[in-house]
Amino acid sequence: MTAVLDPPRARPTGRATRPRPRPRSKALPYLLLAPCAAGVLGTLAWPVATMVALSFQRENLADLVTRTTTWVGPANYRHTLTDRMFWTVLPRTLGFAATCVALTLLAGTGCALLLYRASRPARLALSSALVLAWATPVFIGAVVWKWMFDSEFGVVNYLLTRLGAGDFRHHSWFLTPTSAFAVLIVIVVWGAVPFVALSLYGGLLTVPPELWEAARVDGGSAWRVFWRVTFPLLRPIYVILAVLSVVWDTKVFPQVWFTTRGGPYQGTVMLGVYIYNQGINDSRFGNASAIAVLMTLLLVGLSWFYVRVLREESR
Amino acid sequence: MRPGRARRALVDATAVALAVLFAFPVYWMAGTALKPDRDIQRFSPKFLPYPLYWGNFSRVLHSAAFWSGLRASLAVTLAVVVAGMAVAFLAAVALARFRFRGRTAFLLALIIAQMIPGEALFIPYYLLLRDTHLLGQLPGLVLVYLSFTLPFGAWMLRGFVRAIPVELEEAALVDGASRARAFWRILFPLVAPGLVATSIFSFITAWNEFTYAYVLLDDPARYTLPVYLQSFIGRYSTAYGPQMAAATLFTLPVLIFFLVVQGRAVAGITGGAVKG
Amino acid sequence: MSHRTRAAAAALTLALCTVAACGGGSGGSRGTAQLNVWLMKDSAPDALVADVNRAFTAAHPGTRVKVQILDWTGRDVKWKTALAGDHPPDVMEMGNTDVLSYAASGALADLTHRTFDNRASWLTGLTEAGTYQGKLYGVPYYGGDRVVIYRKDLWQRAGLGAPPSTLADLQRDAAALRDADGRPDFSGLYFPGRYQYAALSFVYDTGGRIATRSKDGRWHGQLSATAAQQGLTNWANFLHAASRAPADKDETGIDDVLGQGHAAMIIAQGWQVKAIGAKYPQLAGQLDAFAMPGTAGPMPVFLGGSNLTASAGGKNRDLAAAWIRLMTGTKYETALGQAGLLPNSTSLSHAVSGITATELRAATRSWFTPASTHWSDVDNASVMQDMLQAIASGQKSVATAAKDADTRVEQILDAGA
């Protein structure tokens, strides 16, 4: 378990990142890359190109069935960018993602530290529980959590009442969007923490314990030790986890769809549900494609700093 | 670092408490599978499924749709994982060890590919498979899943390969090994943990995916397991008992895969030349 | 290492072989026509469908019928992609609220000039659901509506006699049942806030409607009209008097509430009686049903159900129409009625008995959602359910909630393609 999830080190480590030019066939890298290029570009590029093309077409159900193409230029983009719903959904999605990412990284760090410090049986218990949570299919997890928060039959209400946290019998968690958001955050964070925790734990294992000893000897509190020693060493891992989490938590769909369907009062509709509603439900495929393009550009923008770092490294 | 015993006990207690929190929904899922219908939705929930009710599991295990779904899911997922890891590894080596034109662009493409929302791609993928006559075929579905998992896999593995000092391979080359042998005997075992992590991702992605499987396949005999899981949602009510039984059985292979690969990876590492 | 390589190669080969073996084409039938029929889950009994297919293949030698049962979740994405494909299914069962938008897109075959049994006496609600611009696209298949299911034992214990004939009587009876039980969370009639098909009946009961279309084709929400608001107010009052159900739930799970003894009555479809009896054996003989009473006579019921459609792009349009004619013919509709579904024609009322007969009688006064091709958008946006939840929870007054709902409905229905 320990070395399994050794994270990729994205920071330069001197000589290892500058491959020297070698006397070899110039075709070799392309040959090695060919299957991947075929799999990705070959299979993904065409649908993505279709999606971009659709974003400039009308494409409703009639168009789809009769296979007609009606170009409407930037009309879909104009419609989306002037749609009040879009400007409500967008900040909501970003706020939700930010909250989930922050909580996930915090909880993941906490779990990783616990895993490191705990005795063997406790560590085994926690890591097994994390793996179980990770292995559960997303929509089953959403269904079970929704069930547990049910106002009549839910375990959460029952336990909260029994543990004396107040009278939660028949308490409705999905009555207001705020309350529904709390439930959604629980579901998303629950599913996201295992990967983060286990990755960080793997990272902790690669830190030489002498560094900690030295820091403690210099008179640091646990918090300072973490901030000054551990975090800088693990920063590359944090960067990657943060980027991945931002992308994944912005794209959430099944967790929302199978619990609230975007309700109540459309208050939990986020970009993923919005695209699905526009596309599959309302048959506005052109519009849905435009929103998807905008969403992709947004995510590229959000992770631009990382993209730039990558380009620097690649030179 | 030697914390006091009280400190240790507190850490352990917190760890166990968190373990309970994370595992509880899974316990609830498995517990529901062992309850008869009338015990599933109750005003005072039943925490222990006693007496154990095997009817739900029995119903699932006797269902032909479950077994055909299992076969289809296993075939598709294994193909995606094995083919995907091989392809991603080769690509990762190319991206990490060589300099060539288009390297940065390709890497950017891999990252951007992961950001595209899948909900907008159902129709385009359907049109692609329709026009290439791969609709309704499991290989078509495998190709679709590969296009999801390859970007992430190649990108992650590139990071892992870069972390390994190139001197190790060069030493092997100096010793007279061919490039292929250098890759295989030196690089591959060191990248093992990366392969494990990435393959688990691919496994989970392909194993759990529902909508594309439902849309791109048309013969019920070829539907994968997630479609079978959804089939318990009726028009007016959901058959929770059998659904949770199917879900429990559905989660098992993921767990088994995880346990198998992580055990083998550890064995590979301790036998390899990595430190730390 | 080499052992692992071999193992990996073996796994890959095995997987690819299985995948390739499964990758054969779907049923290449040369010389025989294959009719692809897509039916929905939880509709007609399998045995009945098998009978129909046997009769059909006997009457049309050289034909094979392949039935696929679709789940209700994800049916939209399945239909839309299949209709865009090269081999759309020949016959599709669609929920009656689904048909219109597909009819408007040209994906369905025009069945106006085909012959079907009992056409003159088809249930109006189902026929309307399947007609677009005067043409028939979806043939009425079966219907379903809701009645009040009650526990006879609790009824007797509270000293109540005949079933109520007005809404006020029902309210009074529900209060009596609640008092007889005494528990604070016991409902005389368990009525969750988002139960739209039962709640909106109150609107039609007082002469209101959801939306109307003016001559210029624009839709106008009518929920803020006086009649509709009166209906919604009646509903809110009824909830507070009779029900302890939460405002944010819909009708899933009400059978469990009744079965576990937390309510004396629920509003549900007739076949639920048998289902609840099977799940909770101690209630097996204790359940009966009566039609939901309104302010003056029976309350109009929402007529749910399914229609059978044929795809415009299918290769076997004549065979498809023939299959639909057989399935919706007198013989098999009678069998459907005996199985607890409402047959598609009022002339077949002799085929149903017991609670199904109660349902059929109630269906004579029925309402249906506005005949707009965009109504499913309104449904997907949960506009009605949100309005009802706001009223039931007290978050909005009836007037405000109705006004907001009207605005949303007009926005969506008048949005244009």
Side-chain angles (χ1 to χ4, degrees), chain B residues 41 130 137 214 222-223 231, chain C residues 22-23 41 68 78 84 260:
Chain B
Q41 304 236 71
R130 176 190 74 185
Q137 323 270 23
Y214 192 47
R222 294 200 204 115
Y223 280 148
S231 71
Chain C
C22 297
K41 202 177 172 64
Q68 191 182 151
K78 195 79 177 143
Q260 289 172 25

Side-chain angles (χ1 to χ4, degrees), chain C residues 34-88:
Chain C
Q34 173 160 296
L35 198 67
N36 285 318
V37 175
W38 283 11
L39 298 178
M40 300 305 301
K41 202 177 172 64
D42 291 345
S43 67
D46 292 334
L48 178 60
V49 175
D51 279 343
V52 171
N53 289 335
R54 262 195 297 274
F56 187 79
T57 42
H60 296 88
T63 331
R64 250 178 11 133
V65 182
K66 188 152 182 242
V67 174
Q68 191 182 151
I69 307 285
L70 249 58
D71 298 322
W72 287 94
T73 38
R75 67 189 187 280
D76 267 328
V77 77
K78 195 79 177 143
W79 284 331
K80 286 174 186 176
T81 45
L83 290 168
D86 290 326
H87 305 285

Side-chain angles (χ1 to χ4, degrees), chain A residues 84-109:
Chain A
R84 210 176 49 160
M85 181 75 171
F86 177 73
W87 292 109
T88 320
V89 169
L90 182 61
R92 195 189 283 159
T93 310
L94 293 175
F96 179 79
T99 316
C100 287
V101 172
L103 287 175
T104 306
L105 290 176
L106 274 172
T109 308

Side-chain angles (χ1 to χ4, degrees), chain C residues 142-218:
Chain C
Y142 62 84
D145 61 66
R146 289 162 177 84
V147 290
V148 179
I149 299 179
Y150 70 102
R151 279 184 58 175
K152 290 192 287 202
D153 53 344
L154 295 181
W155 195 264
Q156 277 157 14
R157 186 181 68 175
L160 300 168
S165 51
T166 67
L167 187 59
D169 288 341
L170 179 63
Q171 205 160 314
R172 192 201 56 215
D173 290 343
L177 286 162
R178 200 192 58 228
D179 294 336
D181 184 277
R183 285 176 292 171
D185 58 359
F186 183 87
S187 299
L189 194 155
Y190 187 82
F191 204 144
R194 291 176 78 90
Y195 195 174
Q196 60 166 335
Y197 292 131
L200 291 171
S201 296
F202 282 73
V203 168
Y204 286 84
D205 179 50
T206 49
R209 19 187 0 112
I210 298 177
T212 51
R213 190 178 210 170
S214 56
K215 277 208 194 39
D216 60 359
R218 291 189 66 84

Side-chain angles (χ1 to χ4, degrees), chain B:
Chain B
M1 200 173 291
R2 306 217 121 273
R5 285 194 64 181
R7 189 77 147 325
R8 224 342 116 97
L10 182 63
V11 166
D12 280 0
T14 320
V16 172
L18 279 176
V20 168
L21 226 61
F22 273 97
F24 189 75
V26 186
Y27 169 75
W28 199 246
M29 169 183 89
T32 303
L34 292 167
K35 289 179 191 165
D37 255 358
R38 64 178 162 278
D39 281 344
I40 290 178
Q41 304 236 71
R42 280 165 54 107
F43 279 77
S44 13
K46 210 172 176 192
F47 284 92
L48 279 174
Y50 187 79
L52 293 176
Y53 173 70
W54 296 102
N56 295 323
F57 279 104
S58 162
R59 174 170 155 185
V60 169
L61 290 170
H62 280 105
S63 145
F66 172 74
W67 292 105
S68 69
L70 183 64
R71 268 197 305 274
S73 277
L74 276 177
V76 167
T77 306
L78 282 178
V80 169
V81 169
V82 176
M85 286 304 98
V87 169
F89 176 65
L90 293 177
V93 169
L95 289 168
R97 285 281 187 261
F98 295 78
R99 296 181 79 168
F100 55 94
R101 280 180 63 173
R103 183 175 70 163
T104 318
F106 191 78
L107 203 49
L108 280 179
L110 287 183
I111 294 173
I112 295 177
Q114 297 174 55
M115 298 180 180
I116 303 170
E119 294 77 43
L121 289 172
F122 294 136
I123 301 289
Y125 265 111
Y126 184 84
L127 296 176
L128 171 68
L129 289 197
R130 176 190 74 185
D131 295 339
T132 51
H133 302 292
L134 282 172
L135 268 186
Q137 323 270 23
L138 286 181
L141 194 63
V142 170
L143 281 176
V144 173
Y145 287 168
L146 279 174
S147 74
F148 298 159
T149 53
L150 279 177
F152 181 78
W155 178 58
M156 278 272 278
L157 282 176
R158 167 190 173 263
F160 279 99
V161 172
R162 287 182 80 229
I164 295 161
V166 74
E167 286 74 20
L168 291 173
E169 285 150 68
E170 292 182 339
L173 285 174
V174 161
D175 283 350
S178 75
R179 182 157 299 108
R181 274 203 98 188
F183 281 160
W184 195 241
R185 298 230 123 213
I186 307 293
L187 192 58
F188 188 78
L190 298 182
V191 188
L195 280 172
V196 164
T198 330
S199 65
I200 292 173
F201 255 105
S202 295
F203 192 100
I204 292 181
T205 307
W207 188 250
N208 289 353
E209 205 287 319
F210 162 68
T211 315
Y212 282 95
Y214 192 47
V215 163
L216 301 175
L217 297 170
D218 53 16
D219 189 348
R222 294 200 204 115
Y223 280 148
T224 52
L225 267 189
V227 178
Y228 176 68
L229 273 184
Q230 293 269 353
S231 71
F232 289 102
I233 303 176
R235 190 177 193 174
Y236 302 107
S237 64
T238 306
Y240 285 118
Q243 190 184 44
M244 292 297 129
T248 312
L249 292 172
F250 181 72
T251 314
L252 280 180
V254 183
L255 276 174
I256 294 172
F257 183 79
F258 183 86
L259 293 171
V260 164
V261 291
Q262 72 103 2
R264 291 177 139 232
V266 170
I269 290 166
T270 51
V274 72
K275 66 173 166 66

